[in-house]
């Protein structure tokens, strides 16, 4: 569910940027986001296949879904809602206290929100793919804060290429994590 949400995030970023950029430059962000989401989706599927072939049936996505502890779901949902409320409050406070250059206040709020959510995701998850999604969210927030300063197509293309390079690195690390022996796969959980 996180990879389609990532693609939707990039489409919404394109819609936000339509207010401050030329149409050609705005089209770059959703296209890059969809390519990044598809690349990470293929890497995640391949990693699940590798884990299943190696006999780690508990590591595949379907088994994690069916073996989830559904009794703890209400408390987890409540905790996530409280954390999201704190994140939105922090982003709103940062937008009013530290406004970004440019006239687009909603872009500053979205930029702060993406950076804070990306840092939170990258800091709290243990899988490489999810850490990478958090990093991509942080990069999107930094891009959203920077693009109103420099509205040229060349900057949009370079930022898109940077996103694709980070995506390829995340895909490679996801596949390398799936190919690693079980004892080395998650050193934090040992």
């Amino acid at each position: 569910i996180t990879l389609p949400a990532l693609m939707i995030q990039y489409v919404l970023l394109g819609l936000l940027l339509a207010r401050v950029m030329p149409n050609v430059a705005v089209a770059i962000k959703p296209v890059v986001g969809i390519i990044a989401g598809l690349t990470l989706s293929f890497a995640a599927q391949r990693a699940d296949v590798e884990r299943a072939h190696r006999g780690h049936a508990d590591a595949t996505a379907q088994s994690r879904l069916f073996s989830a502890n559904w009794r703890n779901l209400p408390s987890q949902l409540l905790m996530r809602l409280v954390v999201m409320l704190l994140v939105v409050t922090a982003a709103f406070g940062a937008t009013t206290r530290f406004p970004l250059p440019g006239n687009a206040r909603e872009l500053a709020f979205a930029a702060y929100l993406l950076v804070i959510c990306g840092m939170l995701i990258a800091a709290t998850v243990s899988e490489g793919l999810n850490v990478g999604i958090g990093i991509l969210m942080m990069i999107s927030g930094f891009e959203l804060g920077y693009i109103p300063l420099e509205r040229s197509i060349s900057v949009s293309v370079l930022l898109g290429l940077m996103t694709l390079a980070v995506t390829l690195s995340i895909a490679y690390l996801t596949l390398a994590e799936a190919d690693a022996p079980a004892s080395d796969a998650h050193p934090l959980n040992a």
Side-chain angles (χ1 to χ4, degrees):
I1 194 167
T2 56
L3 293 175
L6 183 71
M7 288 189 262
I8 291 170
Q9 170 195 315
Y10 277 104
V11 170
L12 292 175
L13 281 176
L15 292 175
L16 274 173
L17 290 174
R19 182 172 170 249
V20 295
M21 292 181 63
N23 290 338
V24 175
V26 169
I28 293 171
K29 183 55 80 177
V31 169
V32 166
I34 290 171
I35 291 171
L38 290 174
T39 302
L40 292 177
S41 176
F42 292 145
Q45 289 173 358
R46 179 73 179 160
D48 278 347
V49 167
E50 286 294 321
R51 287 185 191 113
H53 283 312
R54 295 185 62 211
H56 299 290
D58 60 328
T60 62
Q62 288 180 345
S63 65
R64 284 184 300 221
L65 180 66
F66 294 125
S67 68
N69 190 355
W70 295 105
R71 284 183 272 164
N72 292 338
L73 186 65
S75 63
Q76 291 174 358
L77 185 63
L78 180 64
M79 183 201 66
R80 289 178 185 184
L81 286 174
V82 168
V83 167
M84 200 58 204
L85 179 68
L86 291 174
V87 165
V88 168
T89 304
F92 181 75
T95 302
T96 57
R97 182 80 175 164
F98 308 108
L100 295 177
N103 294 330
R105 186 173 217 142
E106 67 275 2
L107 290 181
F109 176 70
Y112 282 124
L113 192 64
L114 283 171
V115 169
I116 294 170
C117 285
M119 286 192 315
L120 186 66
I121 289 172
T124 58
V125 298
S126 62
E127 290 183 351
L129 180 66
N130 293 333
V131 171
I133 289 172
I135 291 170
L136 285 175
M137 285 181 74
M138 284 178 19
I139 290 173
S140 296
F142 288 127
E143 289 176 7
L144 198 57
Y146 179 74
I147 286 206
L149 298 177
E150 183 61 46
R151 299 177 180 160
S152 68
I153 295 174
S154 60
V155 170
S156 295
V157 168
L158 288 174
L159 290 173
L161 288 175
M162 181 188 67
T163 300
L164 289 177
V166 170
T167 300
L168 289 175
S169 301
I170 294 166
Y172 174 76
L173 292 174
T174 300
L175 292 173
E177 181 183 32
D179 198 31
S183 61
D184 297 336
H186 294 287
L188 297 177
N189 295 339

